[in-house]
Amino acid sequence: MTHVPEEQKAVPVLTGRARLRSAMVPRANRRQLLAGVLCAVLGFGAVTQAQSRDEASVLQTARQSDLIQILDAQSQLAERLEDELADLQEARDAFSSDGDQQLLAIDQALQRREVLGVLAGTLPARGPGVSVTIADPDNVVTATRILGTIQELRNAGAEAIQVNDVRVVATTYFVDAEDGLVVDGTPVSAPYRIVAIGEASTLETAMGIPGGVVDTFATDGLRAAVAAEIEVVIDSLRVAEAPEYARPAADS
Amino acid sequence: MIAALGLLVGIGLGLLLQPAVPLWLQPYLPIAVVAALDAVFGGLRALLDGIFDDKVFVVSFLSNVVIAALVVFLGDQLGVGSQLTTGIVVVLGIRIFANAAAIRRHLLKA
């Protein structure tokens, strides 16, 4: 690799400066071109390497003690973050189980709302049942008779009842009026059509027992037409009102 | 003259292109650069001595680079790559300084 072969060391004709000066004169001969190309390769490689060092992380050139410090800091950081992660996961689990319970509660509440809605008359209902139709052209039916019919239907297990367009609920009242009845403040006039949802055959039988509803109307000279149906629809609704005085008593 | 120009062109190209060093070349490039630097200093000294020979320069440049890379590769295979790299850098550094001293004596007469 050394460029100083022993036998050529003799007879330096020119001084170093002069040779450098003469070398600086551009001559496009093969010797200078080759040297130029190789020097270009060197410059390219050096710059590339230098820049790749810039990009490379400082870790590669860091001393051992520095590396230990950095590693220590990193592991402490990791520990802290893991703690944080555990906390957050706990919180998330708590929230999600809360959410599950809330969903369950909402589900149950919705079911209860449906059940209670049918009972309280805030939801329409459909199902098997009977319809009782009383023509009453002479307006002789009294509130007592209709109330009796309703009671009889309830005894037979009717779950939802409506009289003409009025839903019958726990607070429903029947009052005689000039031309018909007043049910829950709504005038209702003949012909009366009472629809009840329940087990159709039981309801029909209950209407027809001796001394029962049909018989009673018959003594008034009226005909109560009872029809069991596979599906009846009760679509009149009531607005549920919060009780003014009654408060739920806590379970003992 | 052309050599100095070539060096500048190479530096300019490297700055301009910003090439990424391929992974397999990463351990060898720095040592190759140092080896080439040694060849260049040797060439400069030979020039000042009046015995510069383009063939010798080219061969020494290439063989320097190849041998340096080869030794580092061998060291990597033997598990002493970093130590060998250090050793090569030390040896080449000494040679560079020796050549630099000769060049200095030529140019500054001291």
Side-chain angles (χ1 to χ4, degrees):
Chain A
M1 253 66 68
T2 174
H3 308 279
V4 196
E6 292 300 319
E7 68 274 8
Q8 289 191 15
K9 235 176 179 173
V11 286
V13 185
L14 294 164
T15 63
R17 281 169 198 256
R19 287 206 193 92
L20 189 64
R21 221 171 289 127
S22 72
M24 275 303 172
V25 177
R27 279 166 305 187
N29 57 14
R30 182 161 152 266
R31 152 188 310 204
Q32 293 247 340
L33 272 177
L34 257 175
V37 167
L38 286 181
C39 282
V41 170
L42 170 63
F44 186 73
V47 169
T48 303
Q49 172 62 16
Q51 283 185 342
S52 80
R53 297 300 292 178
D54 284 350
E55 290 161 13
S57 75
V58 289
L59 294 178
Q60 282 184 353
T61 51
R63 283 194 307 278
Q64 196 172 7
S65 55
D66 292 344
L67 286 174
I68 288 172
Q69 238 174 14
I70 292 169
L71 185 64
D72 220 34
Q74 287 298 320
S75 52
Q76 273 180 11
L77 186 67
E79 232 169 80
R80 264 215 317 279
L81 289 175
E82 256 165 40
D83 282 356
E84 204 175 317
L85 179 69
D87 285 352
L88 289 174
Q89 272 175 345
E90 221 170 273
R92 188 201 62 187
D93 287 351
F95 278 132
S96 72
S97 77
D98 265 14
D100 283 354
Q101 282 173 3
Q102 278 180 359
L103 276 181
L104 204 69
I106 288 172
D107 219 36
Q108 285 176 348
L110 283 175
Q111 278 179 10
R112 279 171 63 81
R113 193 183 76 139
E114 280 178 15
V115 170
L116 294 176
V118 170
L119 285 179
T122 56
L123 289 176
R126 63 170 64 233
V130 295
S131 64
V132 181
T133 312
I134 304 129
D136 192 20
D138 302 328
N139 202 14
V140 295
V141 170
T142 61
T144 319
R145 287 274 182 269
I146 298 294
L147 184 58
T149 309
I150 301 294
Q151 296 289 29
E152 198 65 51
L153 286 168
R154 278 180 177 156
N155 282 346
E159 290 164 356
I161 304 170
Q162 91 179 12
V163 175
N164 286 14
D165 288 332
V166 182
R167 187 75 168 261
V168 178
V169 295
T171 58
T172 300
Y173 61 86
F174 298 89
V175 182
D176 288 319
E178 288 281 319
D179 47 355
L181 306 172
V182 171
V183 182
D184 277 350
T186 308
V188 172
S189 57
Y192 303 108
R193 180 178 148 83
I194 303 168
V195 180
I197 292 177
E199 192 180 327
S201 58
T202 310
L203 293 174
E204 193 183 15
T205 311
M207 292 297 99
I209 54 169
V213 172
V214 174
D215 276 3
T216 315
F217 278 113
T219 57
D220 292 341
L222 293 170
R223 185 174 167 277
V226 179
E229 287 171 34
I230 294 168
E231 178 163 289
V232 292
V233 175
I234 293 180
D235 50 6
S236 56
L237 299 180
R238 266 180 71 97
V239 177
E241 286 163 18
E244 195 175 343
Y245 301 105
R247 292 280 175 273
D251 289 345
S252 57
Chain B
M1 182 67 192
I2 290 182
L5 277 180
L7 193 62
L8 288 180
V9 167
I11 290 172
L13 270 180
L15 287 174
L16 209 70
L17 298 179
Q18 306 245 340
V21 184
L23 201 64
W24 58 267
L25 198 62
Q26 264 177 8
Y28 309 120
L29 186 58
I31 221 69
V33 166
V34 174
L37 210 58
D38 172 57
V40 168
F41 271 92
L44 190 55
R45 179 192 178 177
L47 177 75
L48 295 176
D49 283 341
I51 53 170
F52 181 78
D53 181 358
D54 61 325
K55 207 174 87 188
V56 173
F57 176 67
V58 169
V59 170
S60 82
F61 187 101
L62 293 179
S63 67
N64 254 15
V65 167
V66 168
I67 288 172
L70 201 67
V71 170
V72 172
F73 173 76
L74 257 178
D76 273 345
Q77 299 305 308
L78 297 175
V80 290
S82 58
Q83 289 95 322
L84 260 184
T85 305
T86 311
I88 291 169
V89 169
V90 168
V91 170
L92 291 178
I94 291 171
R95 283 169 50 93
I96 288 172
F97 267 99
N99 285 330
I103 292 164
R104 187 198 65 220
R105 251 176 259 122
H106 272 297
L107 296 184
L108 304 176
K109 314 278 187 227

